[in-house]
Amino acid sequence: MQRVEEVKPNNFFVNQCKENEQLGRVLLGAHGIYTLLTMNGTLEGRLSGRFHHELTEARDYPAVGDWVVYVGDGRACVIIQRVLNRRTLLSRKKAGTTTDEQVMVSNVDVVFIVTALTKEFNVRRIERYVHQVYESCARPVIICTKKDLCEDVTGRIGEVERVAPGVPVYATNNLTGEGMADIMKECVSGETITLIGSSGVGKSTLINHMLNAEVQDTKDARSKDDRGRHTTTHRELFTLSNGAFMIDTPGMRELQLWGDSDTIDQTFEDIEAYSHHCKFRDCSHSNEPQCEVLRAIDDGELDDARLINYHKLKRELKRLELKEKYGSHRTNRMLHGPNKI
């Protein structure tokens, strides 16, 4: 395995181009210089003056995974003229009080949500990741690393499956590579995969196993919390031996959601299924009579903590929508009333 040296677009992107236009896929981007993967190998590119002038939002700039049209023969820095329409887009809200979008990667088919089965394990965080993947229109797969350090692998896998119904879940041993054969079945030739997760959960080690090469630096886990140290600092595209592509991403301390509150039901499809049998069509599953969701919790069919997180994520996304529309001052008043924060 080696880093990608050339790449061929599929018809979705080819059909957006005029005859004889040159296409490249963004491998890296920093300080206005982009590394492109093309049919002619790896080239360096920058934005044309007109393209740069026409950009209005952060999401309009090329991101890792994007297909772009460029001009030039590669003997000098080629000029990027536009970004083609994306099939999928994985974003999050920038940290802080801003409502700006931060694009992570584009045009990925599958997102591996990587979590460790050690002290880092948190099913509420997994729910957040699953929702964001559904929001991107990609397919989620959950990879649970460090099974050799977990005393109850079966129990924890069961917890993951309950909060991510229908999502494939795999466990792997970072040291030996146990479980990698099953994970590789999710890597389809021609598709693009990316990995997301907290710092130190073993994404770089997982990539090295999948690529069968030491392409990503790794560091030993800290003894106090069983977590590896943050090693990936940028997004980069690789190719697997079977023709699938992979984009690594830096670890995240937190994932602030980006998207629409109306899409949350796909992540919580078990709650959505029960809600169809509630007495009231607009039931909020809080204190309404004959609420099937609350009945399922009382009978032990649903986890109360899952419903609490469902409401929390709904509020978080609704707050984001209102901030974008009205600004932060009115958002608090609309969500909580004039005298509450």
Side-chain angles (χ1 to χ4, degrees):
M1 197 296 310
Q2 297 179 345
R3 283 175 170 80
V4 183
E5 293 299 334
E6 65 175 39
V7 64
K8 184 177 181 180
N10 62 32
N11 288 337
F12 176 85
F13 301 104
V14 172
N15 291 339
Q16 297 181 47
C17 300
K18 300 175 183 177
E19 189 177 359
N20 298 325
E21 281 190 322
Q22 300 182 97
L23 293 184
R25 196 172 192 192
V26 178
L27 166 65
L28 291 169
H31 309 296
I33 300 297
Y34 298 89
T35 302
L36 306 182
L37 306 171
T38 75
M39 293 297 292
N40 299 315
T42 302
L43 304 175
E44 298 298 319
R46 60 180 176 83
L47 305 184
S48 71
R50 179 177 180 177
F51 181 28
H52 188 274
H53 179 73
E54 292 175 345
L55 297 177
T56 59
E57 298 182 10
R59 67 156 46 203
D60 297 331
Y61 284 85
V64 173
D66 270 332
W67 284 94
V68 299
V69 173
Y70 71 91
V71 294
D73 57 12
R75 287 180 290 185
C77 199
V78 300
I79 304 301
I80 298 171
Q81 296 185 314
R82 72 177 193 275
V83 175
L84 300 186
N85 294 336
R86 295 150 168 162
R87 294 179 62 246
T88 63
L89 186 65
L90 182 62
S91 300
R92 63 174 175 174
K93 187 182 85 68
K94 283 186 176 179
T97 58
T98 178
T99 58
D100 293 338
E101 176 185 15
Q102 180 183 8
V103 174
M104 292 186 281
V105 292
S106 68
N107 297 318
V108 296
D109 302 281
V110 184
V111 178
F112 284 178
I113 301 168
V114 185
T115 184
L117 292 171
T118 51
K119 296 177 182 178
E120 190 270 343
F121 184 80
N122 186 318
V123 292
R124 303 283 81 85
R125 184 188 299 118
I126 292 172
E127 287 173 335
R128 297 177 71 86
Y129 281 123
V130 169
H131 169 73
Q132 202 59 63
V133 175
Y134 280 138
E135 181 71 29
S136 77
C137 295
R139 180 169 63 88
V141 172
I142 299 173
I143 310 296
C144 299
T145 63
K146 306 183 183 181
K147 64 180 293 186
D148 53 308
L149 300 177
C150 178
E151 296 181 353
D152 184 14
V153 175
T154 301
R156 289 207 158 170
I157 292 298
E159 290 183 59
V160 175
E161 291 175 336
R162 284 192 291 274
V163 301
V167 177
V169 182
Y170 301 96
T172 182
N173 183 324
N174 288 42
L175 297 178
T176 66
E178 177 188 355
M180 290 305 306
D182 291 331
I183 293 173
M184 291 302 295
K185 295 176 182 178
E186 299 288 346
C187 304
V188 178
S189 177
E191 290 191 345
T192 301
I193 304 152
T194 193
L195 296 87
I196 60 173
S198 302
S199 299
V201 296
K203 295 193 303 298
S204 294
T205 301
L206 182 65
I207 286 178
N208 288 340
H209 279 299
M210 297 180 71
L211 300 176
N212 196 28
E214 295 294 322
V215 298
Q216 296 292 71
D217 292 334
T218 61
K219 295 182 180 179
D220 294 334
R222 299 187 297 244
S223 59
K224 66 179 181 179
D225 58 7
D226 297 326
R227 293 186 65 181
R229 296 157 172 88
H230 175 83
T231 55
T232 303
T233 58
H234 60 269
R235 296 166 181 85
E236 188 168 0
L237 184 66
F238 301 94
T239 186
L240 276 62
S241 58
N242 71 344
F245 301 98
M246 175 173 291
I247 300 174
D248 190 15
T249 63
M252 294 178 283
R253 289 187 176 89
E254 62 177 338
L255 175 67
Q256 298 205 35
L257 298 184
W258 180 267
D260 190 325
S261 61
D262 292 338
T263 64
I264 203 74
D265 292 332
Q266 187 174 7
T267 305
F268 295 87
E269 62 178 31
D270 49 350
I271 294 177
E272 176 69 6
Y274 281 109
S275 71
H276 291 314
H277 303 286
C278 293
K279 179 178 180 180
F280 301 105
R281 181 175 298 178
D282 60 348
C283 183
S284 67
H285 321 310
S286 299
N287 52 19
E288 294 90 344
Q290 298 183 43
C291 171
E292 185 67 10
V293 173
L294 296 180
R295 195 277 313 159
I297 290 175
D298 289 340
D299 291 349
E301 299 172 17
L302 273 178
D303 183 7
D304 182 49
R306 183 157 168 80
L307 180 61
I308 291 173
N309 204 39
Y310 167 83
H311 287 307
K312 177 183 177 182
L313 299 190
K314 276 263 191 179
R315 289 194 301 270
E316 186 174 334
L317 289 167
K318 190 64 177 179
R319 180 186 295 273
L320 177 63
E321 293 171 20
L322 293 175
K323 276 186 176 181
E324 288 188 285
K325 188 173 183 179
Y326 298 109
S328 59
H329 176 69
R330 292 191 63 190
T331 296
N332 284 328
R333 295 174 62 88
M334 295 175 72
L335 281 175
H336 304 288
N339 299 316
K340 297 181 181 180
I341 298 297

